[in-house]
């Protein structure tokens, strides 16, 4: 069975602080995909990144970076120099190759105060 | 490019009533999903369509929930009769067809259902 665990329910930081959101996953498949989505108060889920299981290179996109470690089954997300607009719920998700059904974690609510 | 459209945005009904939600996916997206997101939880897949065929409905409570995508474009999700525990946000998403690279799903803003 596939499972995604986001142990951090809510994180509060002050603007310009760096923050890391943790994601731990479980799957028996050797090929899979990991995702991060952002859910702002408006409700829609906004795609941030997709990573396949064969690519463990870390990725940086502006203030966002992702650290994928198969050895610990983790796919953590770091926001550098956080901003108030980063306030949202962030979801980590997992899917099998060939099937796009997403298995989501319970989400981490990030509150960035000025 | 227009995103995934859903209506209504909000709905309040009494238990045992019926309700229907509508979704229009991104043009050209053959795969359509309905997710249920209960407050404080991550979304859970209810049903997945490829064109007008069902790919996965293993988590759809078929005694009360039904969904259709008759012409392979827009879709309707129905609940009849509704229970209190059906209170949730119902998210529709669409993506390129299965068999392509595992592309991301694009989500609508959802329909927030409150059953009283």
């Amino acid at each position: 069975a596939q499972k995604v665990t986001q142990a951090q329910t809510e994180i509060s930081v002050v603007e310009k602080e760096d923050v890391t959101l943790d994601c731990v996953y479980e799957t028996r498949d050797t090929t899979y995909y990991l995702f991060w989505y952002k859910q702002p108060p408006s409700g829609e889920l906004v795609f941030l990144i997709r990573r396949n299981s064969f690519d463990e290179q870390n990725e940086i996109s502006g203030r966002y970076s992702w650290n994928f470690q198969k050895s610990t089954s983790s796919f953590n997300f770091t926001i550098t120099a956080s901003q108030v607009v980063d306030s949202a719920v962030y979801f980590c998700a997992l899917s099998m190759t060939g099937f796009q059904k997403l298995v989501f974690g319970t989400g981490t609510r990030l509150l960035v105060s000025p | 490019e227009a995103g995934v459209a859903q209506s209504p945005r909000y709905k309040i009904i009494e238990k045992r009533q019926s309700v229907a939600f509508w979704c229009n996916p991104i043009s050209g997206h053959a795969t359509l999903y309905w997710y249920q997101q209960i407050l404080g939880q991550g979304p859970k897949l209810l049903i997945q369509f490829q064109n007008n065929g069902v790919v996965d409905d293993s988590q759809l409570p078929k005694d009360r929930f039904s969904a259709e995508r008759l012409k392979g474009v827009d879709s309707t999700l129905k609940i009849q009769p509704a229970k209190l525990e059906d209170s949730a946000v119902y998210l529709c998403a669409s993506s390129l067809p299965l068999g392509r690279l595992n592309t991301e799903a694009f989500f609508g803003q959802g329909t927030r259902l409150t059953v009283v």
Side-chain angles (χ1 to χ4, degrees), chain B residues 86-97:
Chain B
D86 298 332
S87 294
V89 175
Y90 291 85
L91 293 162
C92 180
S94 70
S95 68
L96 291 172

Side-chain angles (χ1 to χ4, degrees), chain A residues 39-45 91, chain B residues 6 8-11 21 33-46 65 77 79 84-92 107-115:
Chain A
Q39 189 174 43
S42 54
E44 78 276 21
L45 284 158
F91 289 96
Chain B
Q6 288 189 248
R9 286 296 313 277
Y10 305 93
K11 190 75 177 178
F21 313 128
Y33 316 77
W34 283 103
Y35 284 83
Q36 179 192 57
Q37 185 178 15
I38 293 172
L39 186 64
Q41 298 182 19
K44 181 186 78 172
L45 182 72
L46 292 176
F65 285 65
L77 176 69
I79 307 175
L84 295 176
E85 58 260 37
D86 298 332
S87 294
V89 175
Y90 291 85
L91 293 162
C92 180
F107 286 79
Q109 290 188 304
T111 295
R112 182 177 297 277
L113 173 68
T114 303
V115 182

Side-chain angles (χ1 to χ4, degrees), chain B residues 1-79:
Chain B
E1 177 182 272
V4 177
Q6 288 189 248
S7 67
R9 286 296 313 277
Y10 305 93
K11 190 75 177 178
I12 300 174
I13 63 172
E14 295 183 350
K15 58 184 179 183
R16 290 187 290 273
Q17 284 187 326
S18 63
V19 64
F21 313 128
W22 174 82
C23 172
N24 189 29
I26 292 173
S27 178
H29 281 191
T31 309
L32 184 147
Y33 316 77
W34 283 103
Y35 284 83
Q36 179 192 57
Q37 185 178 15
I38 293 172
L39 186 64
Q41 298 182 19
K44 181 186 78 172
L45 182 72
L46 292 176
I47 189 167
Q48 177 181 349
F49 292 95
Q50 170 86 334
N51 297 308
N52 59 352
V54 175
V55 174
D56 184 345
D57 63 357
S58 57
Q59 298 190 94
L60 186 74
K62 298 180 186 63
D63 57 333
R64 298 182 301 104
F65 285 65
S66 64
E68 58 184 16
R69 193 184 184 200
L70 293 176
K71 296 182 180 179
V73 181
D74 56 352
S75 175
T76 304
L77 176 69
K78 296 179 182 177
I79 307 175

